[in-house]
Amino acid sequence: MKNMSYEEFKKQLLGMLRERLRDSIKSEIIPVNKNNGIMKETVGIENGIDGLKPLVYVESLYEQYCIGADLSTCVSFVVGLYRAMPDLHMEQYFETWEAVKPRITVRVVNWEWNKDELRDIPHKKYMDLAVYCRVVLAQNEDGIVSTVVKNSMLRYLEIEEIDLWEAARNNFHKENYLIRHIDEETGLIGSYLNKFLNLSDQEDETYILTNEYHNNGAVGMMRFDLLESFAEQKKRNLYILPSSLNEVILIPDRGDRTPDFLRSLVKKNNKDYPEEGDLSENIYYYRRGKKQLEVIL
């Protein structure tokens, strides 16, 4: 176990980064709102005024340091990430609305927990949630690089908000969202969900809805075409449990689970796993044939 404090680690990390990188490349500690108003410190690197900053959570680096990684290894990781990323410049993606339009994707967050950040972001309030848009700059099996759509971007592109939502709606229904049995989930997320649910006698009726990247896939709960098809297949209405921003859990309603019990699971999950990114403490209900959700109070 290393003895360096978090604050000292931060200071030395920045010092070594500045030694390793050219003078023209700026590195700094940047506080960011990870989600729901929770602030996290990140290492940001910027090359020039137009470049986007690859962000690494300092806390994650410090955890690796505490379990045995050398400080130089942490520095090399940050530098390697920076050098591996393509040069991302805003103008190459935002030159015209036609270039941006196919890159629009939708995301969902809790409205109450994020209402301050949403003030300058075009969004639609739905139940206790807010749907907003991002522009995808790059994506592959390792993750997604994107930036949020703000009102200033609409002005820059000379479009109206109605144009944004039309593009978002069209793209959303083309995206690949999956409903998979919980047994198909492997690794960390599988064990996490099994522990979270604690529904051993109902495992055959527990499913995960997310996107193909398992990244901010909870918005798939608004793909009513998928929910309707699944509900018809099961001949049941559906409980929808918001386990995180990345996925939701679907449980066909067979009358043997009460909303209060399911809500208690969601609240416990949010308390035990805050780093997953909470979506809500409520649970939702989908009725076959309605093609809409409702909050179960």
Side-chain angles (χ1 to χ4, degrees), residues 99-115:
V100 172
K101 187 160 57 173
R103 296 178 175 273
I104 298 293
T105 188
V106 292
R107 297 286 186 263
V108 65
V109 293
N110 186 283
W111 182 83
E112 180 65 30
W113 298 341
N114 296 276
K115 60 184 179 182

Side-chain angles (χ1 to χ4, degrees), residues 58-192:
V58 181
E59 185 178 321
S60 298
L61 293 173
Y62 185 64
E63 287 174 356
Q64 294 303 311
Y65 167 79
C66 287
I67 62 175
D70 292 333
L71 178 59
S72 59
T73 301
C74 297
V75 173
S76 295
F77 174 80
V78 177
V79 173
L81 176 64
Y82 167 73
R83 290 176 175 165
M85 291 186 69
D87 291 330
L88 301 178
H89 298 280
M90 301 298 278
E91 66 269 17
Q92 76 184 87
Y93 295 100
F94 304 144
E95 184 175 356
T96 66
W97 169 235
E98 290 304 313
V100 172
K101 187 160 57 173
R103 296 178 175 273
I104 298 293
T105 188
V106 292
R107 297 286 186 263
V108 65
V109 293
N110 186 283
W111 182 83
E112 180 65 30
W113 298 341
N114 296 276
K115 60 184 179 182
D116 289 340
E117 289 75 16
L118 289 166
R119 287 175 181 170
D120 193 41
I121 297 174
H123 65 278
K124 291 183 178 292
K125 193 171 184 295
Y126 184 72
M127 301 181 297
D128 62 333
L129 307 174
V131 182
Y132 70 102
C133 299
R134 299 186 72 91
V135 180
V136 175
L137 306 178
Q139 64 183 18
N140 55 38
E141 63 276 4
D142 296 321
I144 298 175
V145 179
S146 66
T147 186
V148 67
V149 176
K150 295 188 176 182
N151 291 320
S152 57
M153 188 184 297
L154 301 188
R155 293 191 293 269
Y156 174 81
L157 293 169
E158 298 181 337
I159 64 167
E160 301 295 330
E161 192 171 329
I162 189 174
D163 301 315
L164 173 68
W165 290 114
E166 181 181 2
R169 183 169 52 252
N170 291 337
N171 293 344
F172 183 47
H173 286 277
K174 295 176 184 176
E175 292 180 26
N176 191 18
Y177 285 84
L178 309 170
I179 297 176
R180 295 184 292 187
H181 192 279
I182 192 171
D183 286 347
E184 295 181 51
E185 295 287 348
T186 59
L188 176 62
I189 190 63
S191 60
Y192 152 67

Side-chain angles (χ1 to χ4, degrees), residues 15 22 30 32 49 80 84-85 95 101 104 118 123-124 208-209 211 215 225 236 254 258 266:
R22 303 189 305 273
I30 308 168
V32 297
I49 196 168
M85 291 186 69
E95 184 175 356
K101 187 160 57 173
I104 298 293
L118 289 166
H123 65 278
K124 291 183 178 292
I208 311 303
L209 169 59
N211 56 20
N215 185 295
D225 56 328
R236 303 282 177 179
R254 298 187 177 276
T258 67
V266 172

